Amino acid sequence: DIQLTQSPASLSASVGDRVTITCRASQGIRDYLNWYQQKPGKAPKLVIYAASTLPIGVPSTFSGSGYGTGFTLTISSLQPEDIATYYCQQGFSIPTFGQGTRVE
Amino acid sequence: EVQLVESGGVLVKPGGSLRLSCAVSEFTFRNAWMSWVRQAPGKGLEWVGRIKTILDGGTTDYAGPVKGRFIISRDDSKNTLYLQMNSLKTEDTAVYYCTKHDPITYSYFDPWGQGTLVTVSS
């Protein structure tokens, strides 16, 4: 199975801050990398797919980049509603998730 | 609005069995690959398994920890996905989510159900 390693495990930021989360794959996965936001007690929500594509309805403050083995999720200006745990997920082969990054 | 509604989560003893259901509305279920994803209390997301459409062979794939114990099936006439869980272990305790694969690359999940809690304990 392809392993995904996220960093950092958690971070503390203020409203308006730029936040960057990294996800590294154990082998090349082209651009089959997706990001989910999960708030406590809620189901995950897709925020980026295919490494850099924003689903309809996701604010433009979210962006993604990367290819191969290295990927980043960036929130350009953190808003209170962005406080959540973020997971990367690869869909190149049997799906796997990163361990999560808590943004507080 | 697309809706996925899981049900069937309860408290069950180790070694027991349980079947979860996921009722789907507002999209053509028979054309969708579907997956189950679980989340143990305080832990991250773990993919459990998936089922392809009947047109794609209706085949299933499973994560290592559940292979041979869990079975995913679908009833396209009822727009319902199932997860049969056998030989349950305490480490299977989790919220179980059903989710739909994207229809083009099958590589990401959207939308998700609200989840159903399975507790395995004596």
Side-chain angles (χ1 to χ4, degrees), chain B residues 63-93:
Chain B
V66 308
K67 197 175 293 187
R69 300 188 298 123
F70 288 12
I71 300 170
I72 297 174
S73 61
R74 63 191 302 155
D75 185 336
D76 290 348
S77 68
K78 295 182 179 178
N79 278 15
T80 302
L81 175 73
Y82 300 102
L83 178 64
Q84 177 68 42
M85 309 165 68
N86 301 319
S87 303
L88 282 161
K89 305 175 181 181
T90 55
E91 53 263 41
D92 295 319
T93 294

Side-chain angles (χ1 to χ4, degrees), chain A residues 3-100:
Chain A
Q3 309 300 317
L4 296 178
T5 303
Q6 281 183 241
S7 61
S10 66
L11 66 90
S12 183
S14 301
V15 172
D17 282 354
R18 183 182 184 87
V19 169
T20 299
I21 300 168
T22 297
C23 179
R24 189 155 300 277
S26 58
Q27 64 187 76
I29 58 172
R30 303 204 318 234
D31 64 349
Y32 289 94
L33 193 286
N34 314 297
W35 293 94
Y36 301 86
Q37 175 194 71
Q38 187 180 33
K39 298 181 180 179
K42 300 293 187 183
K45 173 190 169 186
L46 180 73
V47 293
I48 294 284
Y49 66 92
S52 61
T53 304
L54 222 61
I56 294 170
V58 174
S60 59
T61 51
F62 286 84
S63 64
S65 65
Y67 189 90
T69 61
F71 302 87
T72 59
L73 171 70
T74 299
I75 307 172
S76 61
S77 177
L78 189 73
Q79 300 302 305
E81 58 268 27
D82 300 333
I83 300 303
T85 300
Y86 292 85
Y87 295 92
C88 58
Q89 173 255 324
Q90 64 81 18
F92 181 77
S93 63
I94 293 295
T96 51
F97 290 89
Q99 76 276 24

Side-chain angles (χ1 to χ4, degrees), chain B residues 27-59:
Chain B
F27 65 85
T28 308
F29 177 71
R30 67 171 57 85
N31 294 337
W33 288 25
M34 300 292 296
S35 269
W36 289 95
V37 176
R38 69 184 179 182
Q39 186 169 37
K43 303 296 184 184
L45 301 171
E46 180 185 22
W47 179 78
V48 171
R50 70 182 173 201
I51 186 165
K52 299 178 182 179
T53 62
I54 300 300
L55 238 83
D56 288 329
T59 54

